[in-house]
Amino acid sequence: MQHYRSMMAVLLLLSLPALSEDAVQSQAQADNAAKPEVIQINGVTSNPAVPANIPATVESITSTQISESVNSVSSAGALLYLPGVHVRERFIGDVNGGLAIRMYGVNSSAETIVYGDGSLLSNFLNNSCCPGPRWSMVPQSSIDRVDVMYGPFSALYPGNSVGGVVLMSTHMPEKFEAHVKLDTFVENFKLYGTGKNFQGEHVSAMVGGKQGDFSYWVSGDRLDNHSHPTDFTAASLKVGAAAAGQFTEVTGAYYDRDIANNVRVNTAAISADHTVKDDGTIKVAYDINPMLRAAYTLDVWKNISDKAVDSYLRDAAGTTIYGSTSAAGAFRYLRIDGKDYSVTAPSYSRTDSLYLLHALSLKSTTAGSWDGELVFNYFNQDQDVIRASSGNFGTTPSLAATAGTITYGDGTGWINLDMRGEWRPDGNLQSRHRVSFGYHADRYTTRTTQYNLVAGSSFLESPAGTLTTNSRGVTTTTAVYLQDAWQLSPAVKLVVGGREEQWQAAQGSNFANNANVVYQDKTVYAFSPKASVSYQISDDWQLRSSYGRGVRLPTVNELFKNIGITQVGGGTATAAQLAGFPAPYNVALTNNPNLKPETADAWEFALERMLGNGAWRTSLFGEEKQDALVSQADITTLPGFSISSVQNIDKVRTYGIETAIQAGNVLVNGLDVSGSLTYVHARIEQDIANPGLEGTKLPLIPELRASLLGVYHATEALSYSLGWRYSGRQHSGLFNTTARLYPDPNPGVYGGRSNFSVFDAKVLYQLAQHWSVSVGVDNLTNKTYFTLYPYAQRTLFASARFDY
């Protein structure tokens, strides 16, 4: 029980008597009185109405602000203009919408948390953009508000909050309500040999009401969208000319330079996603008494996604050519402008998914001495099947392929249980102490299996054949926490607490290359202290200092995913070369089941200025992280070889500054303006496994992010908005210690992470009491920019909405 000693120390500290018997929460009351007015200003919010025991910077946006300024129909799009926040939404309906907050990039899905009405939407089975949070399970049209909390400063949230927490909130109706929204959008996309319009439609409908103590919501949401291609195929140059009869001359290729500034020959567009998503939600609530409510939510999410391909290559007769082959013959190579190339045929794929989310809650709202909440969530990938063709060579399209792979993710999912309580010794919401406590338990399971398809019929219908790979693993976490928001005086509030977590990885295994590897179970204990002090300098100025430790535990994919061993300088390690090394390095597949959790000690100093018509905040923030979980090459374990995998980097130091302002009636009556600027400096300080990386930058973290949004209310019925989003330079990968440069000297191309400056506009008009319409455009200047894959180019939107 030694690991609980630190927690008991915090419990004893928090049980000490108050320093001042007549201290009250006058400042908390003043803050909350001002906040509802502040959050009505269009754009971001520096002082949202949040619980008094949240010791962090919080930014918010309401449904009204979303409708006035956001064109995107996804819930992820609601975060467009929040300070230091970015979602990698490449197209509408993107299931891989990775979330970035301040010091964490879009591939850090396990280092930020997204909740929808208390249900976990983040996928902690991996730490990547793919898949991102399950944004689609909360339709944007149902959102009342979104709150973003920055950093791991609250004991109420697990170690995955090191980057921040997103809370999307809806409501249960108090009377009959009905809402219908229709959207249509079209993108004109041009890149390489692709130049066409990609169109989509979206419809959502909600109806709800309350009869006595019973309230209900029933909603449906359907998205049918054709996206631009997100991937492109490049040819590989053959050394020397092909022999006679072993090539076919083709035209239609497009030349550019890749991120390393090497000449690239692009031959096909792939992954043009036609996605059809259906989301249905039933929410019911019963008021057991005026202060106790039970609620249940069932969300069913169905997605069928076809990723189409388009080869640019044509032979002399104008026939489309899809690729070359390893077999001798006329399509052994393709000759492009006098040079011979190997061309991988583009692969067509189809995904068929059915996900279920159950949420059960019991919550009291006495506003007296005690309140509590019980939340249970169950998410399961009831069906998750991906069929991918092997592609074809010559004139046969990949859609006609008879071979390929099928991957099952059925049974992957998670279970979460939270029991929360709050004690207010003074018996009311103005109590000088608000003591929060709780218990948390979760279980994450990954089950992925891939087979070769039995050749002979269409890959869309062929049965599974031989097993190629699988991955299995389970992680469980239990935690207890305690936190006290203590009003020491009318001007000073102290929030202090801690969270104790026990984490276990079990049942881990991989199958690949006809070999199965089983991993030992692992258990880790972690304690995370938290402390924050805020000081009301005057009626207009407030200073807050916060410290929090976030312990982010490894995901099942980080622990149990196959990795590779290569020779230093290039080349795959052979079985004979590996045979002389001890297990587990004597096989060509392994991973690191002994990964340590990463521990981030984070801090923030925030100075807030209340304006007559808004608010202004400036924050200094940073963290020092031990054992950071980063994918890198270990060049020290096996002499002459490099092990590429997720590993623990000994020390990473990050710091930055952010300023955010929002104000109403700027220069002219009716003009609301909000904006932010975030600077981040992230460096590897110590890396024993790869010392050459010390002093270099972490990938996927731009040094600068900025946004500016203006909404002009011409009349009560008519508003205009113009927004600007900026992201600065970020690297695609770690520093190359051999070449002594970063991997992307040419970042503004496909495959790179380009900076961008993008403008969006929207006009919203209230036609009548219940009807409104809007038109808008995203990427007004038609900027071509990339997050490895291309983002959407200029996209036009038109919407009509009925609200009763």
Side-chain angles (χ1 to χ4, degrees):
M1 301 298 291
Q2 183 175 357
H3 61 278
Y4 284 105
R5 291 179 181 173
S6 53
M7 190 63 178
M8 292 302 297
V10 173
L11 294 176
L12 291 171
L13 174 64
L14 296 180
S15 66
L16 295 175
L19 295 179
S20 173
E21 290 299 320
D22 58 356
V24 295
Q25 262 189 328
S26 59
Q27 186 53 49
Q29 289 177 295
D31 287 348
N32 289 332
K35 286 167 186 172
E37 181 178 353
V38 171
I39 63 174
Q40 296 306 313
I41 298 174
N42 188 69
V44 299
T45 322
S46 290
N47 294 284
V50 296
N53 56 357
I54 298 298
T57 293
V58 183
E59 300 280 355
S60 306
I61 187 168
T62 66
S63 59
T64 299
Q65 297 161 359
I66 294 169
S67 65
E68 290 177 341
S69 60
V70 174
N71 292 309
S72 171
V73 301
S74 72
S75 58
L79 282 70
L80 274 178
Y81 295 103
L82 291 170
V85 177
H86 174 70
V87 178
R88 193 199 78 149
E89 191 177 32
R90 301 165 298 171
F91 56 88
I92 296 171
D94 189 356
V95 296
N96 295 325
L99 171 66
I101 300 180
R102 275 190 182 168
M103 300 179 287
Y104 289 85
V106 294
N107 278 9
S108 299
S109 61
E111 292 160 317
T112 56
I113 309 177
V114 179
Y115 292 100
D117 287 330
S119 296
L120 181 69
L121 303 182
S122 291
N123 185 340
F124 296 151
L125 297 170
N126 60 10
N127 188 41
S128 171
C129 62
C130 312
R134 299 303 181 187
W135 301 104
S136 298
M137 302 192 92
V138 179
Q140 187 197 100
S141 55
S142 69
I143 294 175
D144 289 336
R145 61 181 293 126
V146 179
D147 297 297
V148 177
M149 294 181 289
Y150 298 81
F153 302 119
S154 174
L156 279 63
Y157 299 98
N160 303 90
S161 65
V162 286
V165 180
V166 175
L167 304 176
M168 295 189 292
S169 303
T170 66
H171 72 279
M172 292 301 293
E174 293 297 319
K175 60 181 181 179
F176 179 77
E177 295 183 38
H179 309 272
V180 179
K181 188 170 184 280
L182 302 173
D183 305 282
T184 184
F185 30 88
V186 60
E187 174 196 6
N188 182 253
F189 183 86
K190 294 181 180 180
L191 186 63
Y192 305 131
T194 302
K196 60 181 292 187
N197 291 332
F198 295 90
Q199 188 169 347
E201 294 81 32
H202 171 256
V203 58
S204 64
M206 299 180 291
V207 62
K210 187 172 185 180
Q211 298 291 329
D213 295 326
F214 177 78
S215 54
Y216 65 93
W217 262 122
V218 179
S219 67
D221 189 275
R222 182 178 179 86
L223 172 68
D224 187 337
N225 185 42
H226 293 263
S227 84
H228 62 260
T230 58
D231 288 277
F232 300 86
T233 299
S236 299
L237 179 64
K238 179 186 183 301
V239 178
Q246 299 299 306
F247 66 87
T248 296
E249 290 196 36
V250 295
T251 58
Y254 287 80
Y255 293 84
D256 72 345
R257 289 184 176 271
D258 63 17
I259 63 172
N261 224 14
N262 299 316
V263 173
R264 179 169 56 189
V265 182
N266 301 285
T267 60
I270 60 179
S271 298
D273 192 345
H274 176 205
T275 183
V276 179
K277 290 187 177 70
D278 292 293
D279 183 86
T281 305
I282 298 174
K283 299 170 64 176
V284 293
Y286 179 71
D287 294 331
I288 300 172
N289 59 51
M291 295 176 291
L292 183 63
R293 169 173 285 187
Y296 170 73
T297 299
L298 170 63
D299 187 278
V300 180
W301 183 81
K302 175 74 172 175
N303 177 41
I304 298 178
S305 168
D306 285 280
K307 291 182 169 59
V309 303
D310 179 22
S311 176
Y312 302 147
L313 302 180
R314 304 290 186 272
D315 64 11
T319 304
T320 300
I321 304 299
Y322 288 90
S324 61
T325 177
S326 59
F331 294 110
R332 178 66 182 88
Y333 297 100
L334 300 182
R335 180 162 290 180
I336 303 171
D337 294 332
K339 296 181 180 180
D340 296 320
Y341 295 85
S342 295
V343 177
T344 301
S347 173
Y348 188 103
S349 68
R350 172 173 294 172
T351 300
D352 193 348
S353 302
L354 177 65
Y355 298 164
L356 302 177
L357 174 66
H358 300 268
L360 182 65
S361 68
L362 182 67
K363 184 176 182 178
S364 69
T365 53
T366 66
S369 296
W370 294 92
D371 271 313
E373 182 179 18
L374 171 68
V375 179
F376 174 79
N377 299 312
Y378 171 63
F379 173 86
N380 184 56
Q381 294 178 189
D382 193 65
Q383 176 180 314
D384 196 81
V385 182
I386 303 174
R387 289 178 173 268
S389 73
S390 59
N392 272 323
F393 64 92
T395 60
T396 307
S398 59
L399 187 58
T402 59
T405 61
I406 184 168
T407 304
Y408 296 95
D410 304 13
T412 292
W414 56 82
I415 298 173
N416 284 269
L417 172 68
D418 281 285
M419 294 185 289
R420 310 179 181 116
E422 184 170 280
W423 175 48
R424 298 176 283 266
D426 294 342
N428 54 58
L429 294 177
Q430 288 72 45
S431 176
R432 61 187 170 182
H433 287 279
R434 298 184 69 162
V435 181
S436 301
F437 53 93
Y439 170 81
H440 168 86
D442 62 50
R443 178 184 175 93
Y444 289 85
T445 303
T446 184
R447 293 181 57 86
T448 60
T449 307
Q450 185 180 89
Y451 300 90
N452 286 320
L453 292 170
V454 176
S457 59
S458 169
F459 79 97
L460 294 174
E461 300 173 353
S462 299
T466 57
L467 173 67
T468 57
T469 63
N470 71 25
S471 183
R472 301 284 188 270
V474 174
T475 62
T476 57
T477 306
T478 57
V480 292
Y481 65 85
L482 184 65
Q483 180 170 285
D484 185 10
W486 186 356
Q487 196 75 41
L488 297 174
S489 72
V492 179
K493 181 167 69 175
L494 171 67
V495 181
V496 62
R499 187 180 184 95
E500 179 79 14
E501 295 173 296
Q502 175 183 308
W503 171 87
Q504 183 180 52
Q507 304 174 35
S509 67
N510 285 129
F511 177 87
N513 301 326
N514 297 315
N516 194 63
V517 178
V518 178
Y519 303 103
Q520 292 183 346
D521 296 352
K522 180 179 178 64
T523 301
V524 173
Y525 298 96
F527 176 68
S528 303
K530 320 281 184 177
S532 176
V533 177
S534 60
Y535 175 56
Q536 192 72 28
I537 302 170
S538 68
D539 290 341
D540 298 329
W541 291 92
Q542 185 184 64
L543 178 65
R544 183 180 61 254
S545 173
S546 299
Y547 161 80
R549 174 173 293 169
V551 181
R552 204 276 284 182
L553 302 160
T555 66
V556 289
N557 279 11
E558 289 172 323
L559 289 162
F560 306 132
K561 186 177 181 180
N562 296 331
I563 66 172
I565 302 176
T566 60
Q567 299 182 67
V568 173
T572 302
T574 67
Q577 290 172 320
L578 293 172
F581 293 109
Y585 304 112
N586 55 5
V587 293
L589 70 151
T590 184
N591 62 13
N592 189 356
N594 297 313
L595 286 175
K596 303 173 186 176
E598 58 181 15
T599 301
D601 288 295
W603 52 269
E604 181 181 29
F605 298 99
L607 181 65
E608 299 179 356
R609 171 77 159 95
M610 296 303 297
L611 308 174
N613 56 348
W616 174 37
R617 172 186 56 82
T618 298
S619 295
L620 295 174
F621 57 86
E623 68 175 22
E624 184 157 309
K625 184 179 293 183
Q626 309 290 331
D627 298 316
L629 291 164
V630 178
S631 180
Q632 69 164 358
D634 179 352
I635 62 174
T636 65
T637 301
L638 301 181
F641 294 90
S642 175
I643 304 173
S644 298
S645 67
V646 174
Q647 298 166 22
N648 289 116
I649 290 182
D650 302 271
K651 184 185 295 185
V652 172
R653 182 174 293 134
T654 307
Y655 59 83
I657 184 171
E658 179 177 87
T659 187
I661 190 170
Q662 47 80 41
N665 298 323
V666 178
L667 299 179
V668 297
N669 189 45
L671 176 61
D672 298 337
V673 176
S674 62
S676 66
L677 177 65
T678 305
Y679 167 78
V680 175
H681 178 94
R683 296 292 187 272
I684 296 172
E685 294 295 318
Q686 183 181 20
D687 190 352
I688 294 174
N690 199 338
L693 292 177
E694 294 176 1
T696 63
K697 299 178 181 180
L698 286 176
L700 307 184
I701 302 175
E703 291 189 342
L704 284 176
R705 279 198 182 101
S707 66
L708 185 64
L709 177 66
V711 177
Y712 176 60
H713 300 91
T715 67
E716 289 187 2
L718 178 63
S719 69
Y720 303 88
S721 76
L722 179 63
W724 171 68
R725 296 174 282 123
Y726 173 82
S727 179
R729 183 74 162 100
Q730 58 182 301
H731 289 294
S732 299
L734 291 169
F735 187 74
N736 187 320
T737 57
T738 301
R740 306 303 302 169
L741 49 77
Y742 289 96
D744 52 353
N746 184 37
V749 296
Y750 165 67
R753 309 276 179 167
S754 54
N755 59 9
F756 60 83
S757 180
V758 178
F759 293 87
D760 312 314
K762 185 173 185 177
V763 179
L764 175 66
Y765 182 62
Q766 189 77 31
L767 285 172
Q769 180 181 0
H770 301 296
W771 289 93
S772 62
V773 294
S774 68
V775 292
V777 55
D778 277 357
N779 196 353
L780 183 65
T781 60
N782 203 27
K783 171 74 173 178
T784 300
Y785 62 112
F786 302 88
T787 174
L788 179 62
Y789 314 96
Y791 281 105
Q793 295 177 10
R794 183 186 294 121
T795 306
L796 306 178
F797 295 80
S799 301
R801 178 162 179 155
F802 172 82
D803 296 286
Y804 180 84

